[in-house]
């Protein structure tokens, strides 16, 4: 018997959760013509909210919106998105660079993440989430998290997907919702519907679905499965 898994509207999932934290979406657009990648960050503290996404030669980087207000850059300044060869790495931390270095050395996504663990931000122990998008639209996703808040054990999960059906994606985020401490994501990446015909529409829909108080920055990329052409959109809370 075929297993049934609900296909949720991404915007509905975002609207129903005031604090999913940081999130990655991978999938295929509504026309079936583009591979989709998206990444967002949220923040509750002034330090976390004092960030913007800035474009780089090979992706994006988080930078301080007001450098004078930056108190601790260790877990909030990094490259969330980097191109390596024809692949695209998306993560919520400096493991982006670890994955990139391993791939350039001929090793794998999983091997790179075996050297990393969740973030050392007790008592939250924020999961490290990562993804690698291939030119054919197939992708991998990973989450490294504590064992229900116990820091002595790192739980390591990797999910591999072939090119998904048209209009379908997978959504992985750091937190189940708001709380103190913040509860880590549980289960497989969420199965979501992607209805936006282009990167601008998807960025608009996601940005408006994210909690107004907590949203910080958003990146959306559509990559043609035919010729590899790229269309990217960045949104920041401080944009005018």
């Amino acid at each position: 018997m075929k297993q049934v898994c609900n296909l949720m509207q991404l915007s509905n999932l975002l609207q129903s959760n005031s604090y999913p934290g940081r999130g990655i979406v991978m999938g295929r657009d509504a026309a079936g013509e583009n591979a989709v990648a998206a990444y967002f960050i949220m923040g509750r503290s002034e330090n976390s909210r004092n960030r913007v996404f800035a474009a780089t030669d090979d992706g994006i980087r988080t930078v301080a919106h007001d450098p004078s207000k930056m108190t601790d850059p260790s877990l909030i300044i990094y490259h969330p998105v980097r191109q390596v060869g024809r692949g695209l790495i998306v993560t919520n931390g400096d493991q982006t660079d670890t994955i990139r270095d391993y791939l350039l050395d001929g090793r794998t996504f999983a091997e790179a993440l075996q050297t990393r663990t969740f973030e050392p931000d007790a008592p939250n122990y924020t999961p490290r989430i990562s993804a690698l998008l291939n030119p054919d639209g197939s992708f991998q996703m990973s989450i490294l998290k504590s064992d229900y808040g116990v820091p002595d054990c790192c739980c390591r999960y990797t999910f591999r997907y072939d090119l998904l059906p048209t209009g379908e994606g997978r959504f992985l985020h750091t937190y189940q919702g708001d709380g103190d401490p913040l509860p880590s994501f549980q289960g497989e990446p969420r199965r979501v519907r992607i209805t936006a015909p282009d990167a601008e529409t998807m960025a608009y829909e996601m940005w408006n679905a994210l909690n107004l108080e907590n949203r910080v920055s958003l990146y959306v990329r559509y990559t043609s499965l035919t010729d590899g052409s790229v269309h990217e959109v960045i949104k920041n809370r401080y944009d005018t």
Side-chain angles (χ1 to χ4, degrees):
M1 181 181 294
K2 184 178 180 180
Q3 187 174 6
V4 177
C5 178
N6 290 334
L7 189 60
M8 302 289 293
Q9 287 287 354
L10 177 59
S11 58
N12 291 344
L13 282 176
L14 294 175
Q15 287 171 345
S16 66
N17 189 343
S18 64
Y19 203 67
R22 288 166 272 174
I24 299 173
V25 178
M26 292 276 165
R28 189 176 183 186
D29 74 335
E33 298 174 352
N34 296 278
V36 174
Y39 177 67
F40 66 81
I41 58 175
M42 307 182 81
R44 300 189 301 177
S45 68
E46 181 181 24
N47 196 47
S48 291
R49 292 175 178 176
N50 183 34
R51 294 182 287 172
V52 296
F53 284 169
T56 64
D57 289 343
D58 65 349
I60 59 172
R61 182 173 176 80
T62 58
V63 298
H65 172 66
D66 183 346
S68 70
K69 295 181 179 179
M70 180 63 66
T71 57
D72 180 8
S74 60
L75 293 175
I76 62 175
I77 299 300
Y78 56 93
H79 289 96
V81 177
R82 298 197 76 173
Q83 187 85 35
V84 56
R86 297 180 64 202
L88 186 74
I89 306 164
V90 183
T91 89
N92 72 327
D94 62 10
Q95 71 267 28
T96 304
D97 297 337
T98 304
I99 296 168
R100 178 180 182 272
D101 292 346
Y102 267 64
L103 293 177
L104 290 174
D105 195 40
R107 291 182 284 180
T108 68
F109 177 78
E111 286 177 312
L113 290 169
Q114 191 65 33
T115 69
R116 304 302 303 267
T117 185
F118 47 83
E119 295 183 359
D121 60 338
N124 296 317
Y125 301 114
T126 297
R128 290 190 186 272
I129 56 173
S130 309
L132 176 63
L133 175 64
N134 300 312
D136 64 358
S138 63
F139 60 93
Q140 301 176 59
M141 302 184 96
S142 166
I143 183 167
L144 311 177
K145 61 181 182 176
S146 69
D147 188 15
Y148 292 92
V150 177
D152 297 334
C153 177
C154 179
C155 302
R156 303 170 182 275
Y157 302 94
T158 301
F159 306 89
R160 301 174 66 98
Y161 300 93
D162 293 336
L163 178 65
L164 294 180
T166 295
E168 189 170 318
R170 294 294 184 272
F171 175 35
L172 180 62
H173 50 96
T174 52
Y175 308 125
Q176 289 287 92
D178 210 341
D180 191 14
L182 289 158
S184 293
F185 180 91
Q186 300 293 331
E188 296 183 17
R190 307 288 186 250
R191 185 173 177 233
V192 295
R193 190 183 307 279
I194 298 176
T195 58
D198 51 52
E200 287 91 349
T201 304
M202 185 167 181
Y204 175 84
E205 291 175 352
M206 290 185 65
W207 188 245
N208 285 283
L210 289 168
N211 180 270
L212 180 62
E213 182 180 0
N214 295 323
R215 70 187 186 187
V216 175
S217 295
L218 168 69
Y219 169 86
V220 176
R221 166 171 159 154
Y222 273 42
T223 305
S224 171
L225 293 168
T226 302
D227 61 17
S229 59
V230 171
H231 195 183
E232 301 169 303
V233 178
I234 293 174
K235 287 187 175 291
N236 293 303
R237 70 184 288 137
Y238 301 103
D239 290 344
T240 55

Short mmCIF file of all heavy atoms in Angstrom, two decimals, residues 78-123:
data_model
loop_
_atom_site.label_atom_id
_atom_site.label_comp_id
_atom_site.label_asym_id
_atom_site.label_seq_id
_atom_site.Cartn_x
_atom_site.Cartn_y
_atom_site.Cartn_z
N TYR A 78 28.55 34.20 8.58
CA TYR A 78 29.02 33.03 7.83
C TYR A 78 28.52 33.15 6.39
O TYR A 78 27.79 34.07 6.04
CB TYR A 78 28.52 31.73 8.48
CG TYR A 78 27.01 31.66 8.64
CD1 TYR A 78 26.20 31.07 7.67
CD2 TYR A 78 26.38 32.19 9.77
CE1 TYR A 78 24.82 31.01 7.80
CE2 TYR A 78 25.00 32.13 9.92
CZ TYR A 78 24.23 31.55 8.94
OH TYR A 78 22.87 31.51 9.07
N HIS A 79 28.91 32.19 5.56
CA HIS A 79 28.42 32.08 4.19
C HIS A 79 27.28 31.07 4.17
O HIS A 79 27.53 29.86 4.19
CB HIS A 79 29.51 31.60 3.23
CG HIS A 79 30.58 32.58 2.94
ND1 HIS A 79 31.78 32.60 3.62
CD2 HIS A 79 30.64 33.60 2.05
CE1 HIS A 79 32.54 33.57 3.15
NE2 HIS A 79 31.88 34.20 2.20
N PRO A 80 26.02 31.49 4.09
CA PRO A 80 24.93 30.52 4.02
C PRO A 80 24.87 29.77 2.69
O PRO A 80 24.42 28.62 2.65
CB PRO A 80 23.67 31.37 4.21
CG PRO A 80 24.14 32.69 4.72
CD PRO A 80 25.51 32.85 4.17
N VAL A 81 25.29 30.43 1.61
CA VAL A 81 25.17 29.85 0.27
C VAL A 81 26.49 30.02 -0.46
O VAL A 81 27.03 31.13 -0.53
CB VAL A 81 24.05 30.54 -0.54
CG1 VAL A 81 23.98 29.97 -1.96
CG2 VAL A 81 22.70 30.40 0.17
N ARG A 82 27.00 28.90 -1.01
CA ARG A 82 28.21 28.97 -1.82
C ARG A 82 28.10 27.97 -2.97
O ARG A 82 27.67 26.83 -2.79
CB ARG A 82 29.47 28.64 -1.00
CG ARG A 82 29.75 29.59 0.13
CD ARG A 82 31.17 29.49 0.64
NE ARG A 82 32.10 30.13 -0.25
CZ ARG A 82 33.40 30.30 0.03
NH1 ARG A 82 33.90 29.82 1.16
NH2 ARG A 82 34.21 30.92 -0.82
N GLN A 83 28.49 28.44 -4.14
CA GLN A 83 28.58 27.57 -5.31
C GLN A 83 29.92 26.86 -5.28
O GLN A 83 30.96 27.47 -5.00
CB GLN A 83 28.49 28.42 -6.58
CG GLN A 83 28.41 27.62 -7.87
CD GLN A 83 26.99 27.20 -8.21
OE1 GLN A 83 26.06 27.93 -7.95
NE2 GLN A 83 26.86 26.03 -8.79
N VAL A 84 29.91 25.55 -5.55
CA VAL A 84 31.15 24.80 -5.68
C VAL A 84 31.01 23.92 -6.90
O VAL A 84 30.15 23.04 -6.96
CB VAL A 84 31.49 23.99 -4.41
CG1 VAL A 84 30.36 23.06 -4.03
CG2 VAL A 84 32.80 23.24 -4.59
N GLY A 85 31.81 24.20 -7.94
CA GLY A 85 31.62 23.51 -9.21
C GLY A 85 30.23 23.83 -9.72
O GLY A 85 29.81 24.98 -9.78
N ARG A 86 29.45 22.79 -10.02
CA ARG A 86 28.07 22.98 -10.47
C ARG A 86 27.06 22.73 -9.35
O ARG A 86 25.87 22.74 -9.58
CB ARG A 86 27.80 22.05 -11.65
CG ARG A 86 28.67 22.34 -12.89
CD ARG A 86 28.33 21.39 -14.02
NE ARG A 86 26.97 21.59 -14.48
CZ ARG A 86 26.26 20.68 -15.14
NH1 ARG A 86 26.79 19.46 -15.33
NH2 ARG A 86 25.03 20.94 -15.55
N GLY A 87 27.57 22.50 -8.16
CA GLY A 87 26.69 22.26 -7.02
C GLY A 87 26.49 23.52 -6.19
O GLY A 87 27.31 24.44 -6.22
N LEU A 88 25.41 23.55 -5.41
CA LEU A 88 25.09 24.69 -4.56
C LEU A 88 24.94 24.20 -3.13
O LEU A 88 24.10 23.35 -2.83
CB LEU A 88 23.79 25.36 -5.01
CG LEU A 88 23.45 26.66 -4.27
CD1 LEU A 88 24.36 27.79 -4.74
CD2 LEU A 88 21.98 27.02 -4.46
N ILE A 89 25.76 24.76 -2.23
CA ILE A 89 25.70 24.43 -0.82
C ILE A 89 24.87 25.49 -0.11
O ILE A 89 25.05 26.69 -0.31
CB ILE A 89 27.11 24.41 -0.19
CG1 ILE A 89 28.04 23.49 -0.97
CG2 ILE A 89 27.03 24.01 1.28
CD1 ILE A 89 29.51 23.70 -0.65
N VAL A 90 23.96 25.05 0.76
CA VAL A 90 23.15 25.95 1.58
C VAL A 90 23.17 25.43 3.01
O VAL A 90 22.82 24.26 3.24
CB VAL A 90 21.69 26.03 1.08
CG1 VAL A 90 20.90 27.03 1.92
CG2 VAL A 90 21.62 26.41 -0.39
N THR A 91 23.59 26.26 3.97
CA THR A 91 23.62 25.83 5.36
C THR A 91 23.31 27.01 6.29
O THR A 91 23.26 28.16 5.87
CB THR A 91 24.98 25.25 5.80
OG1 THR A 91 25.83 26.28 6.30
CG2 THR A 91 25.69 24.53 4.66
N ASN A 92 23.19 26.68 7.59
CA ASN A 92 22.92 27.72 8.58
C ASN A 92 24.14 28.05 9.42
O ASN A 92 24.02 28.54 10.54
CB ASN A 92 21.76 27.30 9.50
CG ASN A 92 22.16 26.19 10.47
OD1 ASN A 92 22.98 25.32 10.14
ND2 ASN A 92 21.57 26.18 11.66
N GLY A 93 25.34 27.78 8.89
CA GLY A 93 26.54 28.09 9.67
C GLY A 93 27.81 27.95 8.86
O GLY A 93 27.79 27.77 7.63
N ASP A 94 28.94 28.00 9.56
CA ASP A 94 30.22 27.94 8.84
C ASP A 94 30.55 26.54 8.32
O ASP A 94 31.61 26.33 7.72
CB ASP A 94 31.35 28.49 9.71
CG ASP A 94 31.58 27.70 10.99
OD1 ASP A 94 31.01 26.60 11.16
OD2 ASP A 94 32.37 28.18 11.84
N GLN A 95 29.63 25.58 8.52
CA GLN A 95 29.83 24.28 7.89
C GLN A 95 29.72 24.37 6.38
O GLN A 95 30.13 23.45 5.67
CB GLN A 95 28.85 23.23 8.43
CG GLN A 95 27.39 23.39 8.02
CD GLN A 95 26.57 24.18 9.01
OE1 GLN A 95 27.10 25.04 9.71
NE2 GLN A 95 25.29 23.90 9.09
N THR A 96 29.19 25.48 5.86
CA THR A 96 29.22 25.71 4.40
C THR A 96 30.64 25.57 3.89
O THR A 96 30.89 24.91 2.88
CB THR A 96 28.70 27.12 4.07
OG1 THR A 96 27.41 27.30 4.62
CG2 THR A 96 28.65 27.34 2.56
N ASP A 97 31.59 26.19 4.59
CA ASP A 97 32.97 26.17 4.14
C ASP A 97 33.59 24.79 4.33
O ASP A 97 34.43 24.36 3.51
CB ASP A 97 33.78 27.22 4.90
CG ASP A 97 33.29 28.64 4.62
OD1 ASP A 97 32.66 28.85 3.56
OD2 ASP A 97 33.53 29.53 5.45
N THR A 98 33.19 24.08 5.38
CA THR A 98 33.67 22.70 5.58
C THR A 98 33.23 21.82 4.41
O THR A 98 34.04 21.06 3.84
CB THR A 98 33.13 22.12 6.89
OG1 THR A 98 33.49 22.97 7.98
CG2 THR A 98 33.68 20.72 7.13
N ILE A 99 31.96 21.92 4.04
CA ILE A 99 31.44 21.12 2.93
C ILE A 99 32.16 21.48 1.63
O ILE A 99 32.56 20.61 0.85
CB ILE A 99 29.92 21.32 2.79
CG1 ILE A 99 29.19 20.79 4.03
CG2 ILE A 99 29.39 20.62 1.53
CD1 ILE A 99 27.73 21.20 4.10
N ARG A 100 32.31 22.77 1.39
CA ARG A 100 32.99 23.24 0.18
C ARG A 100 34.40 22.66 0.10
O ARG A 100 34.82 22.15 -0.94
CB ARG A 100 33.03 24.76 0.15
CG ARG A 100 33.75 25.36 -1.05
CD ARG A 100 33.74 26.88 -0.99
NE ARG A 100 34.38 27.46 -2.15
CZ ARG A 100 35.69 27.71 -2.24
NH1 ARG A 100 36.49 27.40 -1.22
NH2 ARG A 100 36.20 28.25 -3.33
N ASP A 101 35.16 22.75 1.20
CA ASP A 101 36.54 22.26 1.20
C ASP A 101 36.59 20.75 0.92
O ASP A 101 37.45 20.27 0.17
CB ASP A 101 37.21 22.58 2.53
CG ASP A 101 37.44 24.07 2.74
OD1 ASP A 101 37.34 24.83 1.76
OD2 ASP A 101 37.72 24.46 3.90
N TYR A 102 35.68 19.99 1.51
CA TYR A 102 35.64 18.55 1.30
C TYR A 102 35.29 18.22 -0.15
O TYR A 102 35.89 17.32 -0.76
CB TYR A 102 34.64 17.89 2.25
CG TYR A 102 35.28 17.41 3.54
CD1 TYR A 102 35.84 18.32 4.43
CD2 TYR A 102 35.31 16.06 3.87
CE1 TYR A 102 36.43 17.89 5.62
CE2 TYR A 102 35.89 15.61 5.05
CZ TYR A 102 36.46 16.53 5.92
OH TYR A 102 37.04 16.10 7.09
N LEU A 103 34.32 18.91 -0.72
CA LEU A 103 33.94 18.64 -2.11
C LEU A 103 35.09 18.96 -3.06
O LEU A 103 35.35 18.22 -4.01
CB LEU A 103 32.69 19.44 -2.48
CG LEU A 103 31.40 19.06 -1.75
CD1 LEU A 103 30.26 19.99 -2.17
CD2 LEU A 103 31.02 17.61 -2.01
N LEU A 104 35.78 20.06 -2.81
CA LEU A 104 36.91 20.43 -3.66
C LEU A 104 38.06 19.42 -3.54
O LEU A 104 38.87 19.28 -4.45
CB LEU A 104 37.40 21.83 -3.31
CG LEU A 104 36.47 22.98 -3.70
CD1 LEU A 104 37.00 24.31 -3.16
CD2 LEU A 104 36.31 23.06 -5.22
N ASP A 105 38.08 18.72 -2.40
CA ASP A 105 39.11 17.71 -2.16
C ASP A 105 38.68 16.33 -2.66
O ASP A 105 39.37 15.33 -2.43
CB ASP A 105 39.43 17.66 -0.66
CG ASP A 105 40.72 16.92 -0.36
OD1 ASP A 105 41.70 17.08 -1.11
OD2 ASP A 105 40.74 16.14 0.63
N GLY A 106 37.50 16.27 -3.31
CA GLY A 106 37.03 15.01 -3.86
C GLY A 106 36.29 14.13 -2.87
O GLY A 106 35.99 12.96 -3.17
N ARG A 107 35.97 14.68 -1.71
CA ARG A 107 35.23 13.92 -0.70
C ARG A 107 33.75 14.34 -0.71
O ARG A 107 33.32 15.10 -1.56
CB ARG A 107 35.89 14.10 0.68
CG ARG A 107 37.26 13.41 0.73
CD ARG A 107 37.92 13.52 2.08
NE ARG A 107 38.46 14.86 2.31
CZ ARG A 107 39.11 15.22 3.42
NH1 ARG A 107 39.26 14.33 4.40
NH2 ARG A 107 39.58 16.44 3.55
N THR A 108 32.97 13.80 0.21
CA THR A 108 31.52 13.92 0.09
C THR A 108 30.91 14.87 1.11
O THR A 108 31.51 15.23 2.12
CB THR A 108 30.86 12.54 0.25
OG1 THR A 108 31.03 12.09 1.61
CG2 THR A 108 31.45 11.52 -0.71
N PHE A 109 29.66 15.22 0.83
CA PHE A 109 28.82 16.01 1.72
C PHE A 109 28.74 15.36 3.10
O PHE A 109 28.96 16.01 4.14
CB PHE A 109 27.44 16.09 1.06
CG PHE A 109 26.36 16.80 1.82
CD1 PHE A 109 26.30 18.18 1.86
CD2 PHE A 109 25.35 16.08 2.45
CE1 PHE A 109 25.28 18.85 2.52
CE2 PHE A 109 24.31 16.72 3.12
CZ PHE A 109 24.28 18.12 3.16
N ALA A 110 28.46 14.07 3.15
CA ALA A 110 28.33 13.36 4.42
C ALA A 110 29.64 13.30 5.18
O ALA A 110 29.68 13.45 6.41
CB ALA A 110 27.79 11.95 4.19
N GLU A 111 30.74 13.08 4.47
CA GLU A 111 32.05 13.04 5.12
C GLU A 111 32.37 14.38 5.77
O GLU A 111 32.91 14.43 6.89
CB GLU A 111 33.14 12.68 4.11
CG GLU A 111 33.14 11.23 3.69
CD GLU A 111 34.19 10.94 2.64
OE1 GLU A 111 34.28 11.70 1.65
OE2 GLU A 111 34.91 9.94 2.81
N ALA A 112 32.04 15.47 5.10
CA ALA A 112 32.30 16.79 5.66
C ALA A 112 31.53 17.00 6.96
O ALA A 112 32.08 17.48 7.96
CB ALA A 112 31.92 17.87 4.64
N LEU A 113 30.27 16.62 6.96
CA LEU A 113 29.42 16.87 8.13
C LEU A 113 29.74 15.91 9.27
O LEU A 113 29.39 16.19 10.43
CB LEU A 113 27.96 16.78 7.74
CG LEU A 113 27.51 17.95 6.84
CD1 LEU A 113 26.14 17.69 6.25
CD2 LEU A 113 27.52 19.25 7.63
N GLN A 114 30.42 14.81 8.99
CA GLN A 114 30.84 13.90 10.06
C GLN A 114 31.84 14.59 10.99
O GLN A 114 32.01 14.19 12.15
CB GLN A 114 31.45 12.64 9.46
CG GLN A 114 31.68 11.51 10.45
CD GLN A 114 30.39 10.96 11.05
OE1 GLN A 114 29.37 10.93 10.38
NE2 GLN A 114 30.45 10.55 12.30
N THR A 115 32.49 15.65 10.49
CA THR A 115 33.48 16.38 11.30
C THR A 115 32.85 17.50 12.12
O THR A 115 33.55 18.15 12.90
CB THR A 115 34.57 16.99 10.40
OG1 THR A 115 34.02 18.06 9.62
CG2 THR A 115 35.17 15.95 9.46
N ARG A 116 31.55 17.73 11.94
CA ARG A 116 30.88 18.83 12.63
C ARG A 116 29.80 18.31 13.58
O ARG A 116 29.41 17.14 13.52
CB ARG A 116 30.25 19.79 11.60
CG ARG A 116 31.22 20.35 10.56
CD ARG A 116 32.39 21.10 11.20
NE ARG A 116 31.96 22.18 12.06
CZ ARG A 116 31.81 23.46 11.66
NH1 ARG A 116 32.05 23.77 10.39
NH2 ARG A 116 31.44 24.39 12.52
N THR A 117 29.31 19.19 14.43
CA THR A 117 28.24 18.84 15.35
C THR A 117 27.30 20.03 15.48
O THR A 117 27.46 21.03 14.76
CB THR A 117 28.82 18.41 16.71
OG1 THR A 117 27.76 17.96 17.56
CG2 THR A 117 29.56 19.55 17.38
N PHE A 118 26.30 19.94 16.35
CA PHE A 118 25.37 21.04 16.55
C PHE A 118 26.10 22.24 17.15
O PHE A 118 27.24 22.14 17.61
CB PHE A 118 24.21 20.60 17.45
CG PHE A 118 24.66 19.85 18.68
CD1 PHE A 118 25.08 20.53 19.82
CD2 PHE A 118 24.68 18.46 18.69
CE1 PHE A 118 25.51 19.84 20.95
CE2 PHE A 118 25.12 17.76 19.82
CZ PHE A 118 25.54 18.46 20.94
N GLU A 119 25.44 23.39 17.17
CA GLU A 119 26.07 24.60 17.66
C GLU A 119 26.23 24.57 19.19
O GLU A 119 25.37 24.04 19.90
CB GLU A 119 25.26 25.83 17.23
CG GLU A 119 25.25 26.01 15.72
CD GLU A 119 24.51 27.27 15.28
OE1 GLU A 119 23.99 28.00 16.15
OE2 GLU A 119 24.46 27.52 14.06
N PRO A 120 27.31 25.16 19.71
CA PRO A 120 27.58 25.14 21.16
C PRO A 120 26.87 26.26 21.91
O PRO A 120 27.49 26.96 22.74
CB PRO A 120 29.10 25.30 21.20
CG PRO A 120 29.41 26.16 20.02
CD PRO A 120 28.44 25.74 18.95
N ASP A 121 25.59 26.44 21.64
CA ASP A 121 24.85 27.55 22.24
C ASP A 121 23.87 27.03 23.31
O ASP A 121 22.66 27.21 23.19
CB ASP A 121 24.11 28.36 21.17
CG ASP A 121 23.11 27.51 20.38
OD1 ASP A 121 23.27 26.28 20.35
OD2 ASP A 121 22.16 28.08 19.82
N ALA A 122 24.40 26.39 24.32
CA ALA A 122 23.56 25.85 25.41
C ALA A 122 22.65 26.95 25.95
O ALA A 122 23.05 28.12 26.04
CB ALA A 122 24.44 25.30 26.51
N PRO A 123 21.40 26.63 26.32
CA PRO A 123 20.80 25.28 26.35
C PRO A 123 20.07 24.90 25.07
O PRO A 123 19.44 23.86 25.02
CB PRO A 123 19.80 25.41 27.50
CG PRO A 123 19.30 26.82 27.38
CD PRO A 123 20.50 27.63 26.94
#
